[in-house]
Amino acid sequence: MKSLNEIQAVVTGGATGVGRATVEALLAQGAKVRVVSRSAGKLEKLKGEVKGAVEVVQGDISEQAVVERALGEHTPDLLVLSAGQTPSHAPVNEHTWESFSAHWHNDVKSTFLFGQEVIRRPLRPGSTVVIMSSGAAFGGSPLSGGYGGAKWTQRLLASYLQGVSDDRKLGIRFVALVPKQMIAGTEIADAASKRYAAKNGITQEQYMQRFGKPLTAPMVADAILALARGEGPAGPVIAITGEGMAAI
């Protein structure tokens, strides 16, 4: 089991949701954290609210130059890819191709670019890369355009990248972390649960109760830290629910 004190971590989408919870959990362990986000305003807010060694990088992570700047001179022990395009909720017949494919141009492309950069450098042996996927990769998400397919591809990328790491004996671990239920208290879950509850003719609370024990952003953050310490299930694809983690 590895200590997280003084490790270097880079977290994309670290200003909100799971990313923010992960940043706070890492700082509490004494890690040095670099946060990447498109929103300069959210980054400034983050800097004013958290305590610890945090740096910020503002930019679009679907651009190679921003990926390189995000890693910069760092060879982080932990890279958490939690940034994602906010879903546009509508049935497939109401989407444009641009809205339907948005997650491919953001979530998938940024995972692809960061994964390649990690291998190219490479990060030092023992490093961990956590890619936030979604249960929509398995069950679909009919009101979210291409979201489910993009999250499935992120899962595949974790496996492909792990294969390269193993073939080259780099010692880098890639993990796609797959929440198998909506993450309570996040903006994405709040918006999605309202739409799906309305579609099913039930209340938002009733819809969320279908998942059983709630899964929260701090719980996901704790799982990410456990993976960084070398704990938890083996394998490149790991599911998480309110009951804990399990390999898929």
Side-chain angles (χ1 to χ4, degrees):
M1 184 175 68
K2 297 182 292 187
S3 169
L4 301 183
N5 185 44
E6 296 295 314
I7 71 162
Q8 293 183 341
V10 175
V11 183
T12 71
T16 57
V18 168
R20 170 69 180 262
T22 303
V23 169
E24 292 177 347
L26 284 166
L27 291 173
Q29 293 293 313
K32 299 176 181 178
V33 185
R34 176 174 286 180
V35 180
V36 189
S37 174
R38 283 192 183 92
S39 172
K42 288 180 179 179
L43 287 172
E44 284 302 313
K45 185 173 185 291
L46 174 76
K47 287 175 65 177
E49 293 178 349
V50 300
K51 297 179 181 179
V54 60
E55 300 178 35
V56 298
V57 173
Q58 190 270 327
D60 183 348
I61 57 170
S62 67
E63 298 177 1
Q64 179 66 34
V66 176
V67 170
E68 293 175 6
R69 186 156 53 90
L71 294 176
E73 74 286 357
H74 280 313
T75 51
D77 306 277
L78 174 65
L79 171 61
V80 181
L81 302 180
S82 63
Q85 179 73 27
T86 301
S88 298
H89 294 111
V92 65
N93 60 297
E94 295 180 11
H95 274 279
T96 63
W97 174 245
E98 287 71 23
S99 66
F100 186 87
S101 63
H103 298 283
W104 292 84
H105 294 291
N106 185 84
D107 304 29
V108 174
K109 185 178 180 182
S110 60
T111 301
F112 174 81
L113 293 177
F114 269 104
Q116 284 196 329
E117 188 64 26
V118 164
I119 296 294
R120 185 181 297 117
R121 290 185 175 227
L123 297 190
R124 54 179 162 261
S127 300
T128 302
V129 179
V130 179
I131 301 164
M132 286 303 303
S133 180
S134 168
F138 295 90
S141 184
L143 294 182
S144 302
Y147 180 77
K151 293 302 175 181
W152 176 264
T153 304
Q154 285 184 295
R155 167 194 176 279
L156 291 177
L157 280 170
S159 297
Y160 296 164
L161 291 162
Q162 187 63 64
V164 175
S165 177
D166 292 345
D167 289 344
R168 298 188 181 183
K169 297 180 171 54
L170 298 179
I172 304 169
R173 186 183 184 192
F174 292 88
V175 181
L177 187 59
V178 183
K180 296 296 289 290
Q181 61 191 81
M182 290 186 184
I183 302 172
T186 62
E187 292 180 8
I188 289 177
D190 183 60
S193 60
K194 285 178 181 176
R195 292 300 298 267
Y196 282 102
K199 185 176 185 294
N200 286 277
I202 58 177
T203 66
Q204 183 182 20
E205 182 179 6
Q206 288 172 325
Y207 184 83
M208 292 297 289
Q209 286 174 347
R210 292 182 171 190
F211 295 117
K213 184 177 179 180
L215 175 65
T216 65
M219 292 166 69
V220 178
D222 286 344
I224 291 171
L225 267 61
L227 294 170
R229 288 192 296 264
E231 304 169 1
V237 184
I238 295 174
I240 181 170
T241 68
E243 301 294 338
M245 290 189 287
I248 298 178

